[in-house]
């Protein structure tokens, strides 16, 4: 049993990034020299996944255009690398009619997924190294849904979905409950969910049963909460780096850190050192 398909929701409004996202998708925001969504597609590709569904919506045309084939009158190394990857991928698009929440967006993937387990990668998050690759290994061992987790500092607990669970082996949890954005003193742990999942098609039935939750949106976390009461759901602590590009500070941090690691931006590194000291 291996994971052949990935679903990437990219239809959210991106209100935390306004006014940048007034007329352009947040998934197209540049991080150094590529839009965020390209990092996400590359993560799926480097995890061995070749079939991808991107969920788009109003104002998201640029996401589709980015994965078209277009001949430029100049040679560009970045474009050539992208083209080579696209040669091996099948990328489909579906439009979410209204941005009614992540759970609602995932529902649109049902026909694409069929009866296979699938990877779900939020289109505005970057993970280094590819988190999905690690989740696939855990899924292959336990043969049940697995969700990527991270340990959070106290001040960030109330900003994330938090789990209650039992650690069954180093860094692997059996999840018993999910609480969306709890107060620190009410949080069942300091472990939050990040935007990477391996799910089975069972999730669709749980989403269909949902009533709108926080902010009047259909929340994927609410479906996972009910599912974890009836089925086994695992969590895996991801020890790599994760950037939520839907947040202005995180977006800036991602640009600086990734530029400093990129050999094409040595001049920038020198300039920044001069600014700081
Ligand atoms: P967020 O939770 O960041 O929501 O979405 P958002 O609406 O995009 O952003 P804010 O909170 O208003 O700033 C996480 C991922 O789920 C997608 C987003 O595009 C993003 O990749 N999403 C969210 C959808 O596809 N549809 C939705 O209705 C909501």
């Amino acid at each position: 049993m291996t994971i052949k398909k990935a679903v990437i929701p990219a239809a959210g409004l991106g209100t935390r990034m306004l006014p940048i996202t007034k007329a352009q998708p947040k998934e197209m925001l540049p991080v150094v020299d590529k839009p965020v969504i390209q990092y996400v597609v590359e993560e799926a590709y480097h995890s061995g996944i070749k079939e991808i569904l991107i969920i788009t919506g109003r104002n998201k045309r640029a996401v589709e255009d980015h994965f078209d084939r277009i001949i430029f009158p100049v040679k560009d190394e970045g474009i050539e690398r992208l083209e080579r990857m696209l040669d091996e991928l099948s990328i489909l698009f579906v439009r979410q009619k209204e941005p009614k929440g992540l759970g609602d967006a995932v529902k649109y993937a049902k026909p694409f997924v069929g009866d296979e387990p699938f990877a779900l990668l939020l289109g505005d998050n970057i993970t280094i190294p590819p988190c999905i690759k690690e989740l696939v290994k855990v899924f292959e061992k336990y043969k049940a849904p697995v969700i990527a987790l991270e340990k959070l500092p106290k001040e960030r607990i109330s900003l994330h979905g938090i789990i209650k669970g039992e650690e069954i082996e180093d860094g692997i949890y059996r999840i018993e409950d999910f609480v969306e954005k709890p107060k620190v003193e009410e949080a069942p742990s300091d472990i939050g969910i990040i935007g990477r999942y391996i799910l089975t098609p069972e999730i669709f039935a749980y989403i269909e049963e949902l009533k709108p939750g926080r902010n009047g949106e259909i929340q994927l976390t609410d479906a996972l909460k009910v599912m974890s009461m009836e089925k086994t759901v695992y969590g895996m602590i991801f020890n790599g780096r994760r950037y939520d590009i839907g947040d202005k500070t995180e977006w800036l941090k991602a640009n600086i850190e990734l530029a400093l690691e990129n050999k094409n931006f040595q001049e920038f590194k020198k300039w920044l050192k001069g600014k700081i000291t």
Side-chain angles (χ1 to χ4, degrees), residues 239-256:
N239 288 313
R241 276 181 286 161
R242 195 263 303 216
Y243 302 103
D244 176 5
I245 305 302
D247 174 274
K248 285 179 186 165
T249 304
E250 291 258 319
W251 172 54
L252 291 173
K253 283 186 194 166
N255 272 288
I256 306 273

Side-chain angles (χ1 to χ4, degrees), residues 224-240:
L224 290 170
K225 183 184 172 82
V226 183
M227 190 161 104
S228 67
M229 289 172 192
E230 295 174 6
K231 314 257 171 188
T232 314
V233 178
Y234 294 98
M236 179 205 81
I237 299 277
F238 175 61
N239 288 313

Side-chain angles (χ1 to χ4, degrees), residues 8-18 21 26-27 37 55-57 60 96 98-106 121-125 181 195 214-215 217-219 244-247:
I8 305 179
L13 286 179
T15 52
R16 286 171 295 151
M17 293 302 277
L18 282 169
T21 45
K26 73 170 158 181
E27 294 77 10
I37 189 100
I55 298 162
T56 67
K60 303 282 182 172
Q96 185 185 17
E98 280 177 78
K100 287 201 296 191
L102 177 59
D104 181 71
V106 172
L121 300 88
L122 299 194
D124 60 351
N125 272 236
K181 304 193 170 153
R214 194 174 44 87
N215 299 336
E217 292 186 342
I218 305 287
Q219 301 285 354
D244 176 5
I245 305 302
D247 174 274

Side-chain angles (χ1 to χ4, degrees), residues 5 18 27 33 46 113 116 120 125 151 160 171 195 197 231 243 246-247 250 254 263:
K5 294 178 178 176
L18 282 169
E27 294 77 10
D33 56 357
H46 291 301
V113 162
E116 292 176 48
L120 177 69
N125 272 236
K151 291 229 185 217
H160 293 265
Y197 315 74
K231 314 257 171 188
Y243 302 103
D247 174 274
E250 291 258 319
K263 63 176 178 11

